[in-house]
């Protein structure tokens, strides 16, 4: 099929997948969350009274206050209509599809905005700074190391790499993070234990302070992840290095370094690019445990807080945004594949 | 002549020198505010990492509890100081709804079965094992730490709940059989179906998870099929509070309550919240679609307490006692333990005030804390730094923001951290008068209220009120430098009336959340008279405690009127909202003066107000346009300098909020106008706790004869009678036979007599005496538990004899402490010492054989232990050695607890557990003395002698128990212990020698 037709078909698929994801998310959340939310509203309305020094003259006055509070909150959050109600359902789906994510029920941004988009946009850069940066570093190290050991399959280097990959993948990142903090922050005082600097952003030295504070979580994530990635690249490269044309290039006298890093790696690119792209997309969701250990307020901790508060708009918003990013990534990857590899278009 | 100028110059120089020498000192004396200059609150989510940071000196304190597992190590770490805070409770919530289905039954629809749960739960064990000693057993909803407890002690003690699964099983069986259930193969069935109990266990709280597992296990042992379901608060909210109890989706739930953030003397909410069906927290809530648990008497009693429908203190106390008694009897909500949370700070800090309610996070701590190294700043870790809006009308909803805000904003009144009494803070009341609860007083014709309809202050005319309060505000400057005055207080009351009144659709000054609360309070405010230095309020509130009336009648302002007016205009214009709900409804942001964007909006509004020469209508009589303009300028400058609009009047001001770094920095407000000098609150550094240092209890009491008990008491380490001492005596069946107050007899000495009619009700054998002492300055009890051995008239009885001090005391003193262990672990409150004490109280002193053994043991132990303890306290190496030596003993005692249970307690249980403990002590501690060849050569003879002595002492013990002859028991029980210990030590030594020989033989064989 032609390239244009391929792009159109993929685009339509993308929209359908997005719509289906959104509907599924709302349908899964809807019935249970509505019930939980309504009961929580009543529960917390009474709890709030326990904590406040409001003197009601009679029990009837007190009950009236509670009933009014509950009714107001239910109406505010939109729970007066069932989740599958046409108005509520259509509004939610259509608005979210065009990235009008609405307002959160409980959480606000540091700048005081209740808009879900503002809250997500406030946290996203922090996640990109740490997790996407570390993903890029892991990718670069993994590519070169994987190619290096791929060319030395069976050697000591190869075995070391494999062993390290198994070990590093077995340990939870948050646990390694705790160990790193105890070793390099508390015992040897090389790095600070918090990943966030105390200097304000207006200070000229803030960026250097931030990079310094970020080093420990960055090293932790890279340390845990690069081994497995190198192993994956090694696998692809070994496959390519066994091809006839590689042998032909060797026979032609092309330097080994160029064969490995230019020819083999390039031909191993398609699956590598897919994994890299998906990793980059996945990095935007952050990691709640790492963020909790290092006090890094990113997307992971936002998602966790939203679940704790049952802030449905934020849960739906984050799920949708990450889905969009993921699907877009797959879409772009497909396009790149199709462009470089005619076999993909025909398939 | 020439001498005169020289002399004058010398005198002047001397005067100048004197002034300069005195000036720094006088400045230091009148320096205002806190000791430290700066506090930085730093977001640190993980408490374990925060603990490490305190150890490393990166943090000074953490405003959240540390894990119980980490607490023992923290207690022994010289870099740390650990403070305990009463932290709420946990217990069981029981579903009493009857089953709709004829084939199933809810065991807990029967009150007797619910009540029996109090005997099925081992409260002491849960405190010791699950909470690791961090807590106390709890039966009533107030707990030992509450001042209300003194009122209900006798009710609580009269129940006499002890772990007694046999009794619990009997009570439940009687109820079940009466309902037609059958026990088949050890399992309860009803209509041929197993009787299943659904238990919802909170898994997100480790102690409650353990509680649930333990209770489920106990229920299974007595024949129920337990279906355990795990969940968090959301699940509990849905299942427990959100379903019809009659659907029986749950039978039991491991419920928990948070503690109060402030230590209060009166807590009228608690009885209603915990026991009153009308309040909405009992099964069914108040949902008309559900089956609702009903109890009209509890409704009536708890409503009277909460809505102040009583006419005297005695009447109120009776209502509270009745509510507690009925609530415990109904057992729909069963309290198991009160929790204690450990909070940690650096050992470099001093002056922390451990408020009995708020702990070291109290406002007083920051006012009084100092660094021992002279550093003037503090870094405090907090779990959350900005969880919601900081506006004082509809914000500050989370505890973290309120904690920080309380350090920058002062209130008119506050509470004594150790008594819960209302104290004047920034307002001193000069007159509190009341005609209540029945009569009323005339309101002064000059008194006014704000009339939203006419937008003026309106005189109240000929109204009446129950009470009147006159108070003098202690003004200072606001943090922006502008002096506070009556206009700020007037505006705060204007706002209360204006926004608390909903005049209809056109009324823009309505925020439903705030309006609903304020509208409930407006009818209680009958009139106000403002003057520059004094405020007079007329209120429709009465309390027998005039301090509570004062608290209701006094108000203060937490922000300058111009900030309040600017935010009011922004909200009325629809740009922001005070409450979260209203923000959602109107689609605007929730007003948060802490964030720069909103502060800039406030600044813009202030500029507009200045250009309009705006003076709020409520203040036109007291504020000129010029004065208003000065205020606007000051606040505008503040916002420009600090990027926020939080301006208040406390000892600290909010310097900066670093959103990226997750920090809030506050700095000391050193303005001369601040009323409190540095160190003003140091009187709260140490609570003046009562301490029963010794108690003289008769060794034995003749039933039907009077007896006397005396005790020595100290308050803050000095003999004192400035305390309340109350005693309770209960017999073997846990029935209260005597209670009363001990009378002071000289400084630090109290006595009370047990008259004949009370001793007549004692049981032969051991009876329990509990003495509660609390000082008038710190309402926390020191509790002494002793055993009174009662016997008939033929027994050894009240022998009066002169003891060493020459008095006519009857017995050797019975100190109540594990002195050597206390000296090793540092405090009687440590979990380890508490465990030893609880073990002694529960398993040894509860029986006559155990009590007799303890008497014999104490007579030897206390002859040398005080000296050893004194020496030990000065030798850290010895403390460490004793600690190491004691740890195996804890394991031994835990094992012997099991022996106690296996034999279902009682005398047999006491003897079994003593025997097991003796055996293990011999094996663990005494074997080195028996390993020598010389001792082992006499093994056979020694073993025979031990067995003979053991047999004889067992016979004597049984005779002593049945005859009630305590003197014989005091002889035979130590013999049991010694014979078993020595026999097991010999056996252990023999085994070890044998093992060594075999090993040596093997080695020799291999070598050769």
């Amino acid at each position: 099929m032609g390239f244009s037709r391929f792009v159109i078909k993929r685009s339509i698929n993308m929209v359908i997948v997005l719509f289906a994801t959104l509907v599924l998310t709302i349908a899964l959340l809807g019935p249970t969350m509505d019930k939980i939310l309504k009961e929580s509203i009543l529960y917390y309305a009474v709890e709030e009274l326990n904590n406040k020094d409001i003197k009601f003259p009679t029990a009837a006055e007190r009950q009236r206050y509670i009933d009014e509070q509950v009714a107001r909150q239910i109406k505010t959050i939109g729970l007066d209509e069932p989740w599958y109600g046409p108005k509520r359902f259509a509004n939610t789906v259509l608005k979210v599809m065009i990235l009008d994510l609405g307002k959160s029920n409980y959480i606000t941004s540091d700048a005081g905005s209740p808009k879900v988009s503002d809250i997500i946009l406030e946290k996203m850069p922090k996640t990109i700074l740490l997790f996407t940066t570390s993903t890029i570093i892991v990718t670069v190290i993994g590519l070169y190391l994987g190619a290096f050991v791929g060319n030395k399959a069976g050697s000591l280097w190869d075995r070391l790499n494999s062993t390290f990959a198994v070990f590093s993948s077995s340990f939870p990142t948050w646990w390694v993070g705790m160990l790193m903090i105890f070793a390099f922050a508390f015992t040897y005082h090389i790095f600070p234990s918090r990943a966030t600097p105390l200097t304000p952003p207006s200070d000229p030295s803030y960026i250097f302070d931030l990079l310094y504070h970020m080093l420990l979580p960055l090293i932790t994530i890279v340390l845990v992840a690069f081994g497995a990635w190198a192993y994956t690249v090694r696998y692809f490269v070994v496959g390519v290095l066994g091809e006839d044309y590689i042998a032909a290039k060797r026979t032609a006298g092309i330097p080994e370094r160029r064969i490995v890093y230019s020819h083999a790696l390039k031909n191993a690119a398609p699956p590598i690019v897919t994994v890299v792209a998906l990793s980059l997309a996945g990095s935007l969701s952050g990691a709640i445990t790492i963020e909790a250990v290092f006090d890094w307020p990113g997307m992971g901790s936002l998602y966790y807080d939203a679940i704790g508060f049952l802030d449905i708009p934020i849960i739906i918003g984050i799920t949708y945004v990450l889905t969009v990013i993921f699907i877009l990534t797959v879409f772009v990857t497909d396009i790149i594949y199709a462009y470089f590899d005619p076999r993909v278009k025909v398939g | 002549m020439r001498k005169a100028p020289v002399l004058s110059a010398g005198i002047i120089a001397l005067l100048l020198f004197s002034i300069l020498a005195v000036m720094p000192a006088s400045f230091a004396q009148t320096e205002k505010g806190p000791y430290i200059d700066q506090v930085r609150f730093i977001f640190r989510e993980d408490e374990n990492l925060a603990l490490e940071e305190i150890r490393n000196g990166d943090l000074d304190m953490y405003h959240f509890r540390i894990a119980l597992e980490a607490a023992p190590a923290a207690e022994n770490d010289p870099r740390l100081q650990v403070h305990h805070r009463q932290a709420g409770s946990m217990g069981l919530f029981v579903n009493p709804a009857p089953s709709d289905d004829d084939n199933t039954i809810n065991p807990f629809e029967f009150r007797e079965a619910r009540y029996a749960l109090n005997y099925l739960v081992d409260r002491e064990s849960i405190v010791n094992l699950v909470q690791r000693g961090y807590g106390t057993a709890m039966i009533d909803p107030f707990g030992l730490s509450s001042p209300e407890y003194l009122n209900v002690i006798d009710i609580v003690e009269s129940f006499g709940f002890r772990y007694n699964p046999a009794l619990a099983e009997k009570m439940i069986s009687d109820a079940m059989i009466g309902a037609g259930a059958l026990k088949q193969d050890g399992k309860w069935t009803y209509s041929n179906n197993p009787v299943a109990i659904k238990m919802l266990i909170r898994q997100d709280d480790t102690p409650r998870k353990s509680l649930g597992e333990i209770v489920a296990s106990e229920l299974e042992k007595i024949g129920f099929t337990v279906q355990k379901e795990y969940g968090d608060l959301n699940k509990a909210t849905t299942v427990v509070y959100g379903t019809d109890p009659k659907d029986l989706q749950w039978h039991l739930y491991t419920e928990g309550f948070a503690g109060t953030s402030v230590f209060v003397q009166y807590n009228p909410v608690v009885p209603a919240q915990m026991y009153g069906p009308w309040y909405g927290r009992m099964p069914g809530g108040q949902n008309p679609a559900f089956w609702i648990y009903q109890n009209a008497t509890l409704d009536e009693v708890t409503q009277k307490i909460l809505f102040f429908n009583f006419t005297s203190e005695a009447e109120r106390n009776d209502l509270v006692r009745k509510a507690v008694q009925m609530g415990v009897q109904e057992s729909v909500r069963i309290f198991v333990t009160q929790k204690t949370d450990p909070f940690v700070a650096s050992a470099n800090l001093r002056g922390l005030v451990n408020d009995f309610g708020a702990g070291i996070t109290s406002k007083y701590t920051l006012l009084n804390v100092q660094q021992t190294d002279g550093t003037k700043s503090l870094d405090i870790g907090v779990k959350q730094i900005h969880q919601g809006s900081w506006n004082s009308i509809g914000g500050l909803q989370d505890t973290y923001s309120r904690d920080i805000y309380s350090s920058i904003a002062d209130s008119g009144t506050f509470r004594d951290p150790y008594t819960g009494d209302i104290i004047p803070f920034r307002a001193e009341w000069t007159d509190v008068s009341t005609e209540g609860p029945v009569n009323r007083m005339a309101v002064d014709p000059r008194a006014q209220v704000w009339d939203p309809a006419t937008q003026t202050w309106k005189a109240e005319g000929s109204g009446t009120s129950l009470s009147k309060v006159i108070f003098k505000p202690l003004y200072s400057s606001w943090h922006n430098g502008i002096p506070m005055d009556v206009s700020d207080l007037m505006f705060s009351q204007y706002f209360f009336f204006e926004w608390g009144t909903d005049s209809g659709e056109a009324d823009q000054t309505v925020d439903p959340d705030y309006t609903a609360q304020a509208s409930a309070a407006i009818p209680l405010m009958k009139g106000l008279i403002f003057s520059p230095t004094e405020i007079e309020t007329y209120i429709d509130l009465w309390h027998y405690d005039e301090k509570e009336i004062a608290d209701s009648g006094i108000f203060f302002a937490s922000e300058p009127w111009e900030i309040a007016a600017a935010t009011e205009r922004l909200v009325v214009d629809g740009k922001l909202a005070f409450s979260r709900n209203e923000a959602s409804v109107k689609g605007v942001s929730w007003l948060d003066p802490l964030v720069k964007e909103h502060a800039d909006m406030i600044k813009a509004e202030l500029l507009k107000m200045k250009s309009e020469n705006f003076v709020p209508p409520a203040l036109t009589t007291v504020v000129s346009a010029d004065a208003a303009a000065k205020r606007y300028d000051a606040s505008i400058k503040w916002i420009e300098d600090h990027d926020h609009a939080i301006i208040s009047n406390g000892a600290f001001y909010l310097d900066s909020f670093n959103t990226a770094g997750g920090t809030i920095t506050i700095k000391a407000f050193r303005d001369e106008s601040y009323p409190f000098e540095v160190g003003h609150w140091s009187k709260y550094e140490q609570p003046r706790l009562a301490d029963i240092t010794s108690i003289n209890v008769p060794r034995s009491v003749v039933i039907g004869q009077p007896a006397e008990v005396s005790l020595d008491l100290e308050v803050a380490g000095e003999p004192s009678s400035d305390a309340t001492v109350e005693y309770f005596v209960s017999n073997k069946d846990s029935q209260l036979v005597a209670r009363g107050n001990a009378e002071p007899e000289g400084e630090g000495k109290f006595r009370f007599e047990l008259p004949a009619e009370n001793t007549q009700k004692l049981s032969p054998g051991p009876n329990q005496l509990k003495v509660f002492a609390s000082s008038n300055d710190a309402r926390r009890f020191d509790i002494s538990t002793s055993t009174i051995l009662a016997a008939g008239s033929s027994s050894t009885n009240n022998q009066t004899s002169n003891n060493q001090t020459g008095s006519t005391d009857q017995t050797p003193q019975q100190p109540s402490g594990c002195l050597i262990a206390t000296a090793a672990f540092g405090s009687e409150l440590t979990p380890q010492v508490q465990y030893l004490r609880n073990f002694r109280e529960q398993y040894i002193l509860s029986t006559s054989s155990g009590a007799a053994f303890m008497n014999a043991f104490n007579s030897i132990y206390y002859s040398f232990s005080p000296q050893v303890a004194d020496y030990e306290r000065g030798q850290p190496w010895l403390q460490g050695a004793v600690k190491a030596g004691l740890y195996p003993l804890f394991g031994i005692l835990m094992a012997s607890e099991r022996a106690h249970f296996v034999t279902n307690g009682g005398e047999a249980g006491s003897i079994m557990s003593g025997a097991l403990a003796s055996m293990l002590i011999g094996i663990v501690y005494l074997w080195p003395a028996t390993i020598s060849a010389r001792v082992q050569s006499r093994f056979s003879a020694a073993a025979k002698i031990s067995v003979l002595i053991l047999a004889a002492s067992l016979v004597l013990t049984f005779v002593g128990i049945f005859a009630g002859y305590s003197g014989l028991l005091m002889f035979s029980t130590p013999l049991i212990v010694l014979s078993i210990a020595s026999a097991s030590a010999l056996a252990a030594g023999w085994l070890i020698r044998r093992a060594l020989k075999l090993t040596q033989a093997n080695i020799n064989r291999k070598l050769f």
Side-chain angles (χ1 to χ4, degrees), chain A residues 39 43-44 50 52 56 62 65 69 72-73 76 105-106 110 182 186 189 193-194 196-198 293 295, chain B residues 43-45 49 52-53 56 233 273 279 281 307 512-513 517 580-581 584-585 595 658 660-661 663:
Chain A
E39 294 305 329
Y43 181 85
Y44 285 111
N50 291 344
K52 282 190 176 163
F56 292 100
R62 178 185 166 276
Y65 172 82
Q69 283 287 94
R72 192 177 321 115
Q73 285 198 48
T76 304
N105 291 339
Y106 302 106
D110 287 337
F182 272 90
F186 293 143
H189 307 290
S193 57
R194 276 180 97 231
T196 323
L198 299 179
V293 165
D295 278 334
Chain B
F43 170 58
R44 186 29 123 180
E45 187 162 5
L49 290 172
E52 280 309 308
E53 286 193 315
N56 278 273
L233 178 61
Q273 180 187 6
Y279 197 81
R281 273 282 178 266
F307 298 115
D513 279 16
Q517 293 168 28
R580 190 208 316 258
N581 282 332
S584 288
V585 165
V595 301
N658 178 353
T663 62

Side-chain angles (χ1 to χ4, degrees), chain B residues 444-455:
Chain B
D444 191 311
R446 297 170 300 154
Q448 331 173 73
V449 295
W450 176 258
D451 180 16
T454 58
Q455 290 288 293

Side-chain angles (χ1 to χ4, degrees), chain A residues 35-36 39-40 43-44 46-48 50 52 54-59 62-63 65 68-69 72-73 76 103 105-106 108-114 178 181-182 186 189 193-194 196-201 206 292-295 308-310, chain B residues 40 42-46 49 52-53 56 58 233-234 237-238 241-243 269 273 278-279 281 286 303 307 386-387 397 512-513 516-517 520 524 541 551-552 580-581 584-585 587-590 595 597-598 657-663:
Chain A
K35 187 167 166 46
I36 292 175
E39 294 305 329
S40 297
Y43 181 85
Y44 285 111
V46 177
E47 282 301 298
E48 198 181 1
N50 291 344
K52 282 190 176 163
I54 308 171
K55 293 180 171 59
F56 292 100
T58 63
R62 178 185 166 276
Q63 192 58 45
Y65 172 82
E68 281 174 5
Q69 283 287 94
R72 192 177 321 115
Q73 285 198 48
T76 304
K103 291 198 168 63
N105 291 339
Y106 302 106
T108 54
S109 71
D110 287 337
S113 169
M178 294 279 256
I181 290 174
F182 272 90
F186 293 143
H189 307 290
S193 57
R194 276 180 97 231
T196 323
L198 299 179
T199 42
Y206 174 72
V293 165
F294 286 102
D295 278 334
F309 282 114
L310 291 177
Chain B
R40 202 164 45 174
I42 301 171
F43 170 58
R44 186 29 123 180
E45 187 162 5
D46 190 276
L49 290 172
E52 280 309 308
E53 286 193 315
N56 278 273
D58 297 325
L233 178 61
N234 288 328
T237 310
T238 318
Y241 303 112
T243 61
V269 171
Q273 180 187 6
W278 69 275
Y279 197 81
R281 273 282 178 266
Q286 282 294 293
Q303 283 185 25
F307 298 115
H386 186 227
Q387 213 177 15
Q397 292 185 351
D513 279 16
Q517 293 168 28
L524 304 176
L541 278 162
D551 184 46
S552 299
R580 190 208 316 258
N581 282 332
S584 288
V585 165
V588 297
S589 291
W590 187 16
V595 301
E597 287 74 8
H598 293 191
F657 171 37
N658 178 353
T659 54
T663 62

